[in-house]
Amino acid sequence: MPLDGLLVVDLTRVLSGPYCTMQLADMGARVIKVEQPGRGDDTRGWGPPFLGAESAYFLSINRNKESLTLDLKRPEAKKILEQLLDRADVVVENFRPGTMDRLGFGYSAVAARWPRIVYCSISGFGQTGPRRDQPGYDAVIQGEAGLMSITGESGGPALRLGVAIADIVSGMFAAQGIAMALLARARTGRGQLVDVGMLDATAALLTYQAG
């Protein structure tokens, strides 16, 4: 497998981030998913349907991963994350911009201590710009990116796609960006930041329709 031997620290939840890291796991990376103590990823409780005690939603986007729980506000949990980062090749997170900085594990802090790590951040509107602090929900992004305006019957109302395409395409672009950053690291010895905004990713789907 092309990513055999690489370690991915997965700090993501719900859909866009887990879809990205699942693709990396499918390609052979060892993915360690960090979840909330006591409840795990939110999607563990999203159902029905359930397979035993597990949500089908959660299972569909978290295959081939290992998992542990850490409360990253606690010093002992931060030490465990640091031990993971000592061995990591990739970090992926999809918190609101600024959250990881407040926890002490934003891109600048991680790159200073672990310069070979490829760090990927997925958010609604990217890490910079006037809307960086706003949450990005799939239905909102589909509308703002223009996708809903070309979906449905001519003359009828705009329609949301039946799948959360904004989340999914953001995860796909993130995985592609990580692969390119790993290729660049093989040449330069340094990691880099992969910044994926859901609005950008979804607007990119319009191609000629955007014109």
Side-chain angles (χ1 to χ4, degrees):
M1 301 290 282
L3 300 184
D4 278 350
L6 295 184
L7 176 62
V8 177
V9 175
D10 179 0
L11 301 172
T12 70
R13 68 263 191 262
V14 187
L15 182 50
S16 60
Y19 193 82
C20 165
T21 54
M22 180 180 71
Q23 292 177 84
L24 303 179
D26 287 349
M27 292 297 103
R30 182 185 181 191
V31 176
I32 299 179
K33 182 178 176 70
V34 177
E35 303 185 56
Q36 302 175 69
R39 57 183 291 186
D41 189 312
D42 292 341
T43 60
R44 285 185 180 272
W46 290 7
F50 289 92
L51 182 64
E54 296 283 6
S55 158
Y57 189 128
F58 177 84
L59 293 173
S60 74
I61 51 174
N62 286 288
R63 63 175 175 258
N64 295 332
K65 302 178 186 179
E66 302 170 52
S67 181
L68 78 160
T69 61
L70 293 175
D71 179 355
L72 293 178
K73 295 178 181 178
R74 297 173 65 91
E76 57 268 36
K78 291 184 178 183
K79 290 185 181 300
I80 293 171
L81 180 56
E82 289 172 352
Q83 291 171 0
L84 288 173
L85 294 177
D86 284 338
R87 301 159 54 198
D89 298 280
V90 177
V91 174
V92 188
E93 62 89 13
N94 65 342
F95 292 97
R96 284 198 200 181
T99 300
M100 294 303 297
D101 290 314
R102 290 191 292 274
L103 292 171
F105 294 97
Y107 172 66
S108 296
V110 169
R113 184 168 173 182
W114 299 279
R116 285 181 52 81
I117 284 181
V118 170
Y119 192 109
C120 178
S121 294
I122 305 170
S123 61
F125 301 95
Q127 299 297 304
T128 60
R131 301 185 66 186
R132 69 185 295 267
D133 295 325
Q134 295 181 18
Y137 299 106
D138 181 85
V140 173
I141 297 295
Q142 285 195 35
E144 291 204 21
L147 199 59
M148 289 171 62
S149 70
I150 56 172
T151 305
E153 296 290 338
S154 178
L159 295 177
R160 177 179 178 270
L161 271 68
V163 297
I165 192 66
D167 280 299
I168 291 171
V169 73
S170 298
M172 293 174 68
F173 277 128
Q176 182 182 35
I178 290 167
M180 296 301 99
L182 287 170
L183 178 62
R185 188 185 75 170
R187 296 171 174 170
T188 67
R190 293 191 62 86
Q192 59 184 274
L193 173 65
V194 178
D195 177 8
V196 176
M198 292 173 63
L199 181 66
D200 303 326
T202 308
L205 291 179
L206 270 62
T207 59
Y208 67 90
Q209 292 282 9

